[in-house]
Amino acid sequence: MSKSPKFAWGRAGDEARRQREAEQEERRRHRHEEAGRRRMAALETVRHAEQRRLADLRHRYAGLPPRPSSGAAGPQGAIDALDALNAELAAATTGRHVYRLAEELDEMARRYLDTAASLATGRPRAHEVVAALRALAAEPDLRDRLRFDEPGAQLVSALLAELSAGDDAYVRAHADEAATAIRAHVEKVTLARARHERDRSAAMLAAADVTARLAALEAEAELAQVPLKDAPLAHVALEMISRESVAGRHGEVLVLCGQVDAKLDDMERELDADIDRFTERRQMLAAVVDILPELGLVMDAGSLDESPDGTLTLQVHRLTGSDVTVVLEDDEEGEHRILYLSDDMRRAQEQGGRARQSAACAALLEVAELAGDSMRQEGFTIGEVDWEGSAETRRPVTQWAQADRKRGRNAP
């Protein structure tokens, strides 16, 4: 028999695998529900923004003087149409529906400007025409006018100054020209601001969504005591998103959020796999610990070590003073490998003697076989004990040395 360390492969049995799949499905269901709640919250944010815009437009329509000859196209007809649009907006259940209604609201804003400009130029007195045009131009906030159409704001200011300085004949001759320029300027500013707010809202909500997803994955990983791969990289990306948001580059925010969202999909899949792998390995090691008293072995206090890659290492000792190290790690085929190393094996090689070596090897083999039986009783499928040099050996010799270095000694 070889004097080398012993090992065996292991994997979850059918029942354990079904349990892992059920737990994974529950995590996915919870994530799906949380994503749905975030989508509904985002929908409410967008809906409320459009409802505020609609209420403002309704107020403006209500402030227009009545025109009996206008019929359904007049202010009251527009107010009725806005009320109907508001009811549909309140009932919308998807973002696509809300954005379609926002486009209808844009069109009604254009119609309002047509009506307001026509009413302004139709005033009976020249000074009333100028006042009405000035009021129409001032409807958007001056900061928005300069932000979204500064050349138009300057042109409108000049036209209004000329009208104010002109006589009645001049006003009548140039009112339509000024009204056309003012209407175009106000439309450009109004719709640009609405688009800006939608883009800002979309970017803000996308950033909030990826932030919440990452936080949820970190909570899952912490609960399972499993490292979340690439979490630091994801946080760096969130910092970039925050900087772009502060700078008002909403398009860049959406692009970055899309990239982070795709990365989070990968992180979710990897976390699910790691939770399953770590959980199975911990259960396997617990089964090994359960069998220790029958073997006259005692677990060394503080010797249990779990590395970030999921490798578990445990040191146990006999009352005689010899110790055994059990290592559970990945093998080359994606299964669990259980490795058993013994101080007695090392000393037997150093001191020589076939009988001594055979006894040490038999003692370690007994530990490996009984540990395997204990894991099988817990529902795991465990392969036969193997060792370096046997016909079935799959483990490279270089990895034996790596495992021994974990124990702080040279490989025997």
Side-chain angles (χ1 to χ4, degrees):
M1 183 178 291
S2 170
K3 59 182 177 295
S4 68
K6 308 297 182 280
F7 64 93
W9 60 265
R11 60 171 175 263
D14 292 341
E15 182 62 30
R17 189 159 50 249
R18 283 191 291 269
Q19 177 65 23
R20 295 286 85 74
E21 290 171 355
E23 292 170 355
Q24 192 172 116
E25 183 59 32
E26 176 61 20
R27 289 195 298 273
R28 290 172 180 164
R29 183 194 62 77
H30 178 72
R31 291 168 189 161
H32 181 74
E33 289 179 352
E34 288 300 310
R37 279 191 278 270
R38 290 196 301 271
R39 281 194 298 271
M40 290 307 298
L43 179 65
E44 285 303 305
T45 299
V46 175
R47 188 206 316 276
H48 289 160
E50 295 303 326
Q51 287 177 323
R52 288 192 298 271
R53 191 161 71 101
L54 186 149
D56 178 71
L57 183 58
R58 189 184 190 284
H59 176 74
R60 294 179 188 278
Y61 261 115
L64 293 176
R67 291 175 56 178
S69 63
S70 62
Q76 188 55 51
I79 289 172
D80 292 341
L82 284 171
D83 289 343
L85 183 61
N86 190 43
E88 187 175 357
L89 189 58
T93 58
T94 66
R96 180 176 298 180
H97 192 181
V98 171
Y99 285 123
R100 180 179 65 77
L101 295 176
E103 292 175 353
E104 292 185 25
L105 189 57
D106 289 346
E107 182 57 33
M108 295 197 71
R110 295 187 184 96
R111 294 175 190 169
Y112 162 78
L113 293 174
D114 290 338
T115 302
S118 176
L119 288 171
T121 56
R123 300 278 182 167
R125 297 180 178 82
H127 73 275
E128 292 177 348
V129 171
V130 176
L133 290 176
R134 189 180 300 279
L136 178 60
E139 285 190 2
D141 184 85
L142 179 59
R143 289 171 297 182
D144 290 337
R145 293 175 58 195
L146 294 174
R147 178 180 186 181
F148 297 112
D149 186 22
E150 185 174 355
Q154 293 172 347
L155 173 61
V156 166
S157 179
L159 290 173
L160 288 173
E162 292 172 0
L163 288 179
S164 297
D167 56 18
D168 287 0
Y170 183 88
V171 171
R172 293 299 178 189
H174 295 87
D176 288 342
E177 175 189 354
T180 298
I182 291 170
R183 186 218 171 280
H185 170 62
V186 173
E187 176 183 341
K188 183 175 183 179
V189 172
T190 300
L191 298 186
R193 175 173 174 75
R195 286 193 298 271
H196 173 79
E197 287 301 312
R198 285 197 289 268
D199 290 345
R200 186 186 68 81
S201 179
M204 178 188 70
L205 293 170
D209 185 67
V210 294
T211 300
R213 281 192 69 189
L214 178 58
L217 289 180
E218 288 178 323
E220 286 184 23
E222 182 178 5
L223 181 63
Q225 297 183 6
V226 170
L228 181 62
K229 296 175 182 175
D230 293 329
L233 181 62
H235 278 286
V236 170
L238 291 184
E239 291 174 3
M240 294 175 60
I241 288 172
S242 179
R243 288 195 295 271
E244 295 297 319
S245 296
V246 171
R249 292 188 282 267
H250 306 313
E252 291 298 322
V253 170
L254 290 173
V255 170
L256 286 171
C257 285
Q259 295 171 348
V260 173
D261 202 49
K263 181 61 180 176
L264 290 173
D265 288 341
D266 294 338
M267 291 171 64
E268 277 186 1
R269 287 189 290 270
E270 291 179 4
L271 179 60
D272 282 335
D274 285 346
I275 289 176
D276 289 350
R277 188 164 54 92
F278 279 53
T279 300
E280 289 173 3
R281 199 163 289 171
R282 290 164 183 163
Q283 291 173 345
M284 293 169 71
L285 188 61
V288 173
V289 172
D290 287 344
I291 202 68
L292 294 181
E294 296 184 29
L295 295 168
L297 294 168
V298 179
M299 183 171 65
D300 291 354
S303 70
L304 177 61
D305 178 69
E306 184 173 280
S307 64
D309 67 358
T311 298
L312 291 177
T313 305
L314 177 68
Q315 287 193 336
V316 300
H317 67 273
R318 300 183 187 277
L319 297 179
T320 58
S322 62
D323 68 9
V324 174
T325 300
V326 182
V327 180
L328 285 86
E329 61 184 6
D330 293 326
D331 75 358
E332 294 76 16
E333 298 177 15
E335 296 172 343
H336 305 289
R337 177 166 37 221
I338 310 102
L339 172 65
Y340 305 90
L341 306 103
S342 165
D343 264 357
D344 284 347
M345 293 286 293
R346 178 178 58 82
R347 283 193 292 268
Q349 183 186 31
E350 292 173 350
Q351 297 172 10
R354 182 177 296 275
R356 185 188 300 273
Q357 292 180 14
S358 295
C361 189
L364 185 58
L365 183 59
E366 179 187 23
V367 171
E369 289 179 340
L370 290 178
D373 289 342
S374 181
M375 286 183 278
R376 291 185 189 98
Q377 290 176 10
E378 295 300 319
F380 291 95
T381 300
I382 305 297
E384 295 299 321
V385 179
D386 200 358
W387 53 87
E388 181 187 346
S390 76
E392 300 299 324
T393 297
R394 294 184 294 176
R395 183 185 176 90
V397 174
T398 55
Q399 289 187 314
W400 292 118
Q402 292 172 4
D404 277 308
R405 279 197 291 274
K406 294 176 184 177
R407 308 172 66 219
R409 59 172 64 90
N410 294 324

